[in-house]
């Protein structure tokens, strides 16, 4: 049986998912072949997939002018900390990232294969070290595409499509896998599989007692019991694309039937709304929530925001192709909410950021390379999948509580894209700050408490001082014209917290670095240029051993 999966808008997954008129699951649980999944935890091999070439501070730009913004974007500093290239299967074929599930410091990434054949993988990435994410293991899953996954109760619930011709116990290719993880959250070969009516399971979701799956075209919504791993009930509805849970509600998205809201306990339909119809048959979409609002990725029509209680459409955020983007590549594929911000993957238009409120307001477009086909934001991180481009990990530089009395009463930064302190000038700021460059001139003092990202150069001139309490991320990784943090003669860089310098560090004669307190760290990816009579004092960790 050939799968019916095609790619849409720069490697965005789309599914044609009708296999038969069967509406119920084949409730027989298929025992796993423990040799089917091949787990690789060889760090030498896995480290080869780490790509830092585009790492460093990134900005949020105006989507029209492609220039940096000086409004809300100044309060959202971002750093691309890594990119992991997509894995290759046992036949050397490059897979493509399409979904991410997060549990604490671990991100689980789903991969599938473009074309008529089946092949998939799941990566496990550790982000406990904020600037050094680690691919700890990767599981290749032969003859099976992994389309979606969710973490629950130390298990991964996995949606996919498998080659049913190679497993006579399966009645259809659409499957739901339940993988037991180790106590530390690691992938295993211990799993069970249920097949459901369709060519492919498009999405999964879970709460404490149950997990749920949807299949497309003439598919259904299925409810599984966490303990027995069996289907306990189902509801037939055509063209299902996505599923999510909000409190006691199960919310599904159909490309022809819009939003349907069910009671999680008995799958009773409580609300149905949205006149949206997808322009592309069976393209994968996602949904997320802000309070009683449901946010829907609506393909070429952009992002739709609905009131779940009334079904009223509150807002439509349309898409306008940029001058360099083909119109067919401009499509809202996915949406993810994290605190005060909403992240929207718009294919060739990139990743847009909105501020929450009565209406979503545009902050700008994240300045990253490549398309944005899926996004998931959780904790301090934004995970962006771009098909065969793999997975980008972006860190939001959130402020920590100040540890110094000198931080008390400082205002938020509001002085634009660049900051120049004149001689004998003193300024101080607190919070999250994104800025293009800083120059601290002679005898001037800048204090920043919280988190700050500086995309380009930071220069502390003679007898100037930069007091940094919290975190600093500066520059870009290995550029042809390197970004530089420069401390000139008799100038001082005072650090209480963590500093990451993605470019070079220049310490001129008689310059000083002072580490205050305990637990401070400095990471330098570029070169360190040191002149004579350099003073480096205090307790600190030099993660790359560059200051010796």
């Amino acid at each position: 049986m050939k799968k019916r999966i095609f790619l849409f808008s720069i490697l965005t997954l789309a599914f044609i998912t009708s296999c038969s008129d069967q509406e119920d699951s084949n409730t027989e649980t298929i025992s796993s072949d423990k040799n089917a999944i091949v787990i690789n935890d060889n760090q030498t091999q896995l480290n080869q997939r780490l790509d830092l070439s585009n790492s460093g501070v990134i900005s949020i730009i105006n989507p029209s002018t492609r220039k940096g913004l000086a409004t809300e974007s100044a309060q959202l500093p971002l750093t691309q900390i890594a990119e992991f290239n997509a894995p290759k299967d046992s036949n050397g074929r490059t897979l493509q990232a399409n979904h991410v599930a997060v549990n604490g410091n671990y991100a689980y990434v789903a991969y599938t294969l473009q074309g008529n054949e089946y092949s998939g993988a799941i990566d496990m990435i550790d982000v406990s070290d904020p600037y050094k994410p680690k691919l700890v293991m990767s599981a290749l899953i032969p003859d099976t595409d992994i389309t979606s996954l969710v973490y629950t109760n130390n298990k991964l619930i996995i949606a996919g499509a498998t080659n049913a011709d190679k497993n006579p116990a399966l009645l259809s290719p659409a499957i739901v896998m339940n993988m037991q993880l180790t106590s530390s959250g690691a992938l295993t070969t211990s799993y069970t599989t249920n097949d459901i009516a369709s060519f492919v399971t498009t999405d999964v979701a879970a709460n404490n007692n149950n997990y749920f799956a949807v299949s497309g075209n003439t598919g259904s919504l299925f409810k599984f019991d966490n303990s027995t791993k069996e289907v306990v009930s189902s509801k037939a509805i055509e063209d299902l694309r996505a599923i999510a849970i909000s409190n006691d509600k199960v919310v599904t998205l159909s490309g022809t039937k819009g939003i349907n809201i069910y009671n999680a306990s008995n799958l009773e339909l409580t609300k149905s709304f949205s006149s949206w119809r997808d322009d592309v048959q069976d393209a994968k979409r996602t949904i997320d929530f802000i309070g009683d609002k449901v946010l829907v990725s609506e393909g070429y029509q952009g992002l739709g925001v609905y009131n779940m209680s009334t079904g009223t459409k509150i807002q439509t955020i349309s898409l306008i192709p940029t001058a360099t983007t083909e119109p067919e590549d401009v499509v809202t594929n996915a949406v993810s909410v994290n605190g005060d911000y909403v992240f929207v993957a718009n294919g060739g238009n990139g990743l847009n950021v909105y501020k929450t409120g009565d209406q979503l307001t545009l902050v700008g477009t994240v300045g990253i390379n490549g398309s944005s086909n899926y996004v998931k934001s959780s904790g301090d991180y934004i995970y962006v999948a771009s098909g065969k481009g793999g997975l980008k990990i972006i860190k939001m530089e959130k402020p920590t509580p100040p540890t110094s009395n000198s931080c008390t009463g400082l205002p938020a930064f509001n002085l634009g894209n660049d900051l120049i302190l004149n001689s004998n000038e003193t300024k101080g700021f607190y919070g999250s700050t994104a800025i293009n460059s800083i120059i601290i001139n002679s005898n001037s003092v800048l204090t920043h408490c919280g988190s700050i990202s500086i995309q380009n150069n930071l220069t502390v001139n003679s007898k100037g001082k930069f007091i940094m309490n919290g975190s600093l991320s500066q520059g870009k990784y290995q550029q042809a014209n390197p970004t530089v943090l420069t401390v000139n003669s008799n100038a001082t860089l005072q650090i209480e917290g963590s500093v990451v310098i993605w470019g070079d560090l220049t310490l001129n004669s008689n310059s000083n670095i002072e580490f205050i307190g305990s637990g401070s760290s400095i990471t330098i990816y570029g070169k360190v240029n040191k002149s004579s009579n350099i003073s480096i004092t205090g307790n600190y960790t030099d993660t790359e051993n560059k200051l010796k």
Side-chain angles (χ1 to χ4, degrees), residues 133-340:
K134 182 180 181 181
L135 177 57
V136 294
M137 62 174 50
S138 184
L140 291 179
I141 307 177
D143 302 315
T144 302
D145 290 315
I146 307 302
T147 57
S148 177
L149 72 176
V150 64
Y151 174 91
T152 181
N153 297 317
N154 207 41
K155 297 178 177 67
L156 283 182
I157 309 303
I158 303 164
T162 194
N163 189 340
D165 293 340
K166 294 190 176 182
N167 193 336
L170 297 175
L171 299 181
S172 62
I175 60 170
V176 180
M177 301 168 63
N178 184 318
M179 177 187 284
Q180 180 66 53
L181 304 177
T182 69
S183 59
S184 63
L187 305 174
T188 72
T189 57
S190 176
Y191 68 97
T192 57
T193 302
N194 291 73
D195 63 333
I196 59 178
S198 186
F199 274 103
V200 63
T201 304
T202 54
D203 203 5
V204 285
N207 59 22
N208 289 331
N209 300 314
N210 302 98
Y211 55 97
F212 304 81
V214 290
S215 57
N217 237 5
T218 56
S220 297
L221 160 66
F222 295 89
K223 178 181 178 179
F224 292 79
D225 182 88
N226 264 336
S227 300
T228 66
K229 305 172 187 176
E230 299 286 347
V231 173
V232 294
S233 59
S234 64
K235 293 285 186 179
I237 184 169
E238 66 183 38
D239 200 14
L240 286 168
R241 313 295 185 84
I243 182 172
I245 295 175
S246 176
N247 298 320
D248 60 346
K249 300 179 179 66
V250 175
V251 183
T252 64
L253 173 66
S254 164
T256 57
K257 301 296 183 181
I259 293 290
N260 286 286
I261 301 177
Y262 300 88
N263 186 306
S265 62
N266 57 14
L267 292 192
E268 176 187 358
L269 181 65
T270 61
K271 197 76 177 177
S272 182
F273 57 86
S274 171
S275 59
W276 171 70
R277 298 293 181 269
D278 204 338
D279 297 325
V280 179
Q281 186 181 15
D282 310 304
K284 182 178 178 180
R285 306 294 179 220
T286 74
I287 54 182
D288 209 342
F289 307 98
I290 304 173
D292 63 351
K293 301 174 186 176
V294 57
L295 283 63
V296 182
S297 58
E298 296 185 339
Y300 285 129
Q301 297 173 48
L303 182 72
V305 182
Y306 298 84
N307 183 296
M308 281 200 295
S309 299
T310 65
T312 304
K313 192 168 192 180
I314 301 168
Q315 189 175 7
T316 297
I317 298 177
S318 302
L319 291 170
I320 301 174
T322 65
T324 58
T325 307
E326 295 296 328
E328 61 267 24
D329 294 335
V330 180
V331 54
T332 297
N333 297 312
V335 57
S336 184
V337 178
N338 190 345
D340 294 334

Side-chain angles (χ1 to χ4, degrees), residues 504-524:
D504 294 348
L505 171 65
T506 295
L507 300 173
N508 286 320
S509 298
N510 302 304
S511 60
N512 307 284
I513 298 182
E514 299 175 355
F515 290 91
I516 305 300
S518 61
S520 293
S521 66
I522 187 166
T523 300
I524 307 164

Side-chain angles (χ1 to χ4, degrees), residues 274-517:
S274 171
S275 59
W276 171 70
R277 298 293 181 269
D278 204 338
D279 297 325
V280 179
Q281 186 181 15
D282 310 304
K284 182 178 178 180
R285 306 294 179 220
T286 74
I287 54 182
D288 209 342
F289 307 98
I290 304 173
D292 63 351
K293 301 174 186 176
V294 57
L295 283 63
V296 182
S297 58
E298 296 185 339
Y300 285 129
Q301 297 173 48
L303 182 72
V305 182
Y306 298 84
N307 183 296
M308 281 200 295
S309 299
T310 65
T312 304
K313 192 168 192 180
I314 301 168
Q315 189 175 7
T316 297
I317 298 177
S318 302
L319 291 170
I320 301 174
T322 65
T324 58
T325 307
E326 295 296 328
E328 61 267 24
D329 294 335
V330 180
V331 54
T332 297
N333 297 312
V335 57
S336 184
V337 178
N338 190 345
D340 294 334
Y341 294 97
V342 177
F343 302 92
V344 183
N346 289 324
N349 258 26
L351 180 69
N352 274 10
V353 184
Y354 296 86
K355 192 73 178 292
T356 60
D358 292 338
Q359 296 270 300
L360 299 185
T361 55
L362 178 66
V363 178
T365 299
V366 179
I368 54 177
N369 295 329
S371 62
S372 297
N373 300 326
Y374 176 82
V375 61
K376 173 69 175 180
S377 184
S378 178
D380 292 345
Y381 299 97
I382 310 163
Y383 304 90
V384 184
S386 54
K388 290 185 179 180
L391 182 80
K392 296 176 175 64
I393 304 179
I394 298 167
K395 183 175 183 295
M396 294 182 283
E397 306 289 358
K398 297 180 179 179
T400 56
T403 59
S404 171
N405 291 333
S406 62
C407 299
T408 303
L410 294 179
F413 180 82
N414 61 353
L415 298 180
N417 287 332
D418 300 281
L419 176 61
I420 300 176
L421 263 67
N422 297 318
S423 296
N424 302 305
E425 191 173 10
T426 298
K427 288 187 180 297
F429 304 97
Y430 170 76
S432 296
T433 299
I435 196 168
N436 181 53
S437 65
I438 294 177
I439 298 175
I440 301 170
N441 281 314
S442 176
N443 293 306
S444 59
V445 178
L446 173 64
T447 299
H448 193 282
C449 301
S451 60
I452 183 169
S453 68
I454 305 170
Q455 187 168 16
N456 291 305
N457 297 331
L458 165 61
T459 303
V460 187
N461 283 322
S462 177
K463 297 183 181 180
K465 189 172 187 177
F466 182 27
I467 301 171
M468 192 227 72
N469 182 290
S471 65
L472 164 67
S473 182
Q474 182 263 331
K476 304 286 284 185
Y477 182 82
Q478 292 187 353
Q479 301 293 296
N481 296 309
T483 54
V484 183
L485 192 160
T486 303
V487 185
N488 282 317
S489 176
N490 295 309
T492 299
L493 173 62
Q494 185 182 102
I495 298 167
E496 186 172 3
S498 66
V499 170
V500 179
I501 301 170
W502 295 93
D504 294 348
L505 171 65
T506 295
L507 300 173
N508 286 320
S509 298
N510 302 304
S511 60
N512 307 284
I513 298 182
E514 299 175 355
F515 290 91
I516 305 300

Side-chain angles (χ1 to χ4, degrees), residues 522-535:
I522 187 166
T523 300
I524 307 164
Y525 285 103
K527 298 177 181 178
V528 176
N529 305 300
K530 293 196 294 186
S531 297
S532 59
N533 298 319
I534 303 301
S535 173

